[in-house]
Amino acid sequence: QLLREHRKQSITPHCVDRVRLVQSCMQKLLMCCGRPATGRDRGYPKDEDDDESHAVFTEHVQWIRANTELTLEQATKKVQRFISHGAGDVEVTSIKVPLRDPLLKSRIHVPGKGLLCEHVECFDLCNFLRMQYQRPTLSHKDWSCPVCDKLVRQTHLIFDPYFAEILENTDPSTEEVEVTPDGTWRMVQKMQKRP
């Protein structure tokens, strides 16, 4: 009982808000579909053009974006740490980072990752949520990052301001950038095939 009390006290209002949002989004998606959730049979919309489900995904993504406490400066420092220490004893001069979503291979629009992810690469939050919500069984216990395969709970999704800045400052046709240990980046030009 003492442990239970400690757990109750350690839940922050911010965490409670995240859980409530996820529950609200799940309920709205169930209503869009018109069937109640019974056991592991959950009716999530399958039609990607469904306006109501799109609105729910958008609401969820906007909430994640607005409530991510990671600043651009903090995100840049995480990137610097990762590149500087990620290779162990080998000195890394730069890494190439794709701007395409690992799930659908389209350009990322809203860059996100899991709270525990330690990589520079991101996935598109909209694509990720849509794919997770459309699965026949929706359990946050088996959500995983498409980049590193770590567990990603619904309440641990974050918006990445560093990656968002890259996306805002690159041409839509740019497929990857090269990031250096000091956090600066430059576009990688596609190699043109010779005839």
Side-chain angles (χ1 to χ4, degrees), residues 40-135:
R40 294 183 64 82
D41 175 28
R42 306 201 175 177
Y44 295 93
K46 300 288 189 279
D47 183 5
E48 290 189 0
D49 298 323
D50 181 22
D51 291 338
E52 286 184 71
S53 63
H54 178 73
V56 175
F57 293 123
T58 303
E59 176 188 348
H60 196 159
V61 168
Q62 287 173 344
W63 193 92
I64 291 168
R65 190 173 187 158
N67 288 281
T68 295
E69 296 174 356
L70 185 68
T71 65
L72 176 60
E73 184 179 332
Q74 291 168 329
T76 304
K77 285 182 180 175
K78 281 182 78 170
V79 168
Q80 291 168 339
R81 255 192 324 273
F82 173 78
I83 296 174
S84 297
H85 304 295
D89 295 336
V90 179
E91 184 179 346
V92 177
T93 56
S94 67
I95 61 167
K96 289 185 179 176
V97 179
L99 303 183
R100 294 196 169 276
D101 179 42
L103 296 167
L104 299 184
K105 305 300 181 202
S106 57
R107 185 174 168 95
I108 295 171
H109 295 286
V110 184
K113 57 178 74 170
L115 194 59
L116 302 177
C117 293
E118 297 175 0
H119 45 79
V120 180
E121 299 90 339
C122 285
F123 50 82
D124 189 286
L125 279 171
C126 295
N127 292 342
F128 181 78
L129 287 171
R130 181 172 292 283
M131 292 183 83
Q132 299 308 317
Y133 281 128
Q134 288 178 346
R135 291 168 70 176

